[in-house]
DNA sequence: TGTACATCAGTGAACGCGCGTTCACTGATGTAC
DNA sequence: TGTACATCAGTGAACGCGCGTTCACTGATGTAC
């Protein structure tokens, strides 16, 4: 029994071509970085003329914004799926690492060098907040030793940002540290700053995650 | 008593114009990011024609490489000066933070999104190793609780890279964690990932540094 | 001290390129009666 | 079922732009005798 068809053949074709454009875009980004993304080059690769792409995206900026959105979306979905399967903070860290290694340039598109003056649209910020929420839940689930540093006293403004999440200050703090530490280890690794240094970045990553989880 | 003059007036002029070109380049990078760096635009700002710059740099790539070299150099010098004045690991962290905040795009030129396929020349890698050495010394000077995790057992390959530095494994580990944690906190802050989250990134940074120093 | 020559900074024209984007259009696909 | 019309994907030409880079040159500065 086929599902109810609410999409016309033309609509299906449209979404398919849109997806194909994005795939070529990702390929180009993986190869030469996001700054080298060119609509004309994508069109050529797809065997069509440049202006044709304007049927699918208002322009280069909209395409890039869409790619950023998709990247955040896939990360948020990965987090939620893992959390739903009972993953703890360490498990989420490894979801992030796997996601990053799968396409380093995608990782940098989201977490890398910012373009001065660019501000992500609200709905993207929203998706980013979803990922934060998953991490915060995982931190709240972790046993805490109850000790509290200077920073924890300062953090209530952040609790408000997090939708008034009832986690203890130490958990809010730990959630932020999750991002900084895991991103620090990952981005230096992906940028090649550890190549030739004689150790395995994966083990350093694991050590950071262990420390973060309270060991 | 004037010092011995080994530089002719022409040479002095050359180095001065070179420096002026670099200054305009940094200004442009700070404004629009490194990918927007353009020789012609620099020349226009300086009131000269584009080709004139080829008297001073073989091309765009050489200019950028030189900027990266200068950035590393200034960071390494800052570290050494601080260490020479008795700064501990926390002091060095704040040197790095100050250096980063002074020109975020310079920070990202060095530690940000890598250009696929680009490899820094050996002399730049060398300067990077100098900065690493300063951090490692600071870590070796810190009291260690002697406990050792899984990662520490793996780290001897890295000791070799570090010129056979006699620091305990825990210090080597701490030096690496210094980079990942401090870079993680700094780069997320500079990229604006914390704006509007209701806490002060400087305090989070301090908390990370305290934790790193053994509290 | 003055003259002849070499050095070298900077110019302006030119080349070829690829970019994003617009526009008027052709031709195929889908829709309404 | 067939015909008239609307929708819309894709084309090719064109615009204007700025880029890195080369080349032959002018004119000023420095050097040697």
């Amino acid at each position: 029994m086929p599902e109810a068809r609410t999409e016309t053949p033309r609509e299906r074709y449209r979404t398919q071509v849109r997806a194909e454009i994005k795939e070529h875009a990702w390929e180009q980004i993986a190869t030469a970085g996001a700054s080298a993304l060119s609509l004309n080059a994508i069109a050529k690769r797809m065997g069509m003329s440049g202006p044709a792409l304007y049927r699918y995206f208002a322009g280069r900026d909209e395409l890039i914004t869409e790619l950023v959105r998709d990247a955040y979306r896939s990360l948020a979905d990965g987090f939620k799926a893992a959390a739903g399967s009972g993953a703890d903070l360490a498990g989420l860290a490894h979801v992030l690492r796997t996601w990053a290694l799968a396409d380093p340039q995608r990782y940098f598109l989201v977490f890398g060098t910012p373009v001065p003056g660019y501000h992500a649209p609200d709905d993207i910020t929203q998706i980013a907040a979803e990922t934060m929420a998953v991490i915060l839940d995982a931190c709240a689930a972790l046993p805490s030793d109850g000790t509290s540093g200077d920073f924890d006293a300062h953090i209530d403004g952040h609790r408000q940002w997090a939708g008034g999440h009832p986690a203890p200050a130490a958990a809010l703090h730990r959630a932020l540290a999750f991002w900084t530490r895991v991103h620090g280890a990952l981005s230096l690794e992906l940028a090649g700053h550890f190549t030739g240094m004689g150790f395995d970045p994966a083990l350093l990553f694991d050590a950071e995650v262990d420390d973060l989880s309270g060991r």
Side-chain angles (χ1 to χ4, degrees), chain A:
Chain A
M1 197 197 307
E3 58 183 275
R5 167 137 326 290
T6 168
E7 226 185 9
T8 69
R10 249 189 193 156
E11 282 168 344
R12 248 187 305 156
Y13 180 77
R14 259 188 86 77
T15 60
Q16 184 190 316
V17 175
R18 263 182 85 94
E20 204 178 328
I21 292 171
K22 287 187 199 171
E23 268 165 43
H24 281 87
W26 282 121
E27 206 178 303
Q28 215 170 293
I29 286 175
T31 305
S35 65
L37 217 200
S38 140
L39 291 187
N40 288 320
I42 291 171
K44 187 171 291 179
R45 272 269 190 103
M46 292 178 67
M48 42 200 304
S49 73
L53 298 201
Y54 285 78
R55 291 268 161 206
Y56 302 93
F57 294 95
R60 195 189 116 106
D61 285 1
E62 193 190 279
L63 173 57
I64 290 185
T65 299
E66 183 81 9
L67 295 175
V68 172
R69 199 186 338 259
D70 287 357
Y72 268 113
R73 185 76 273 156
S74 88
L75 178 59
D77 290 349
F79 271 179
K80 285 178 179 177
S85 309
D88 62 0
L89 193 65
L92 294 174
H94 283 97
V95 167
L96 180 57
R97 182 159 198 271
T98 302
W99 185 82
L101 288 173
D103 187 346
Q105 286 293 326
R106 177 181 61 180
Y107 183 85
F108 283 115
L109 184 65
V110 167
F111 293 110
T113 307
V115 179
Y118 175 80
H119 274 286
D122 281 351
D123 71 295
I124 291 183
T125 309
Q126 177 59 39
I127 305 175
E130 285 178 33
T131 65
M132 192 70 206
V134 178
I135 299 302
L136 185 48
D137 284 342
C139 288
L142 239 41
S144 167
D145 61 0
T147 61
S148 173
D150 293 345
F151 183 70
D152 294 10
H154 166 266
I155 216 168
D156 265 330
H158 179 58
R159 182 192 307 282
Q160 190 179 344
W161 177 89
H165 197 291
L172 291 167
H173 186 172
R174 176 138 48 186
L176 292 173
F178 171 89
W179 284 108
T180 60
R181 294 190 190 181
V182 162
H183 169 255
L186 263 180
S187 72
L188 287 181
E189 174 186 357
L190 297 178
H193 279 98
F194 293 149
T195 54
M197 276 202 183
F199 69 92
D200 183 353
L203 296 182
L204 176 59
F205 185 89
D206 287 344
E208 286 298 274
V209 170
D210 283 351
D211 186 83
L212 208 44
S213 300
R215 212 174 291 261

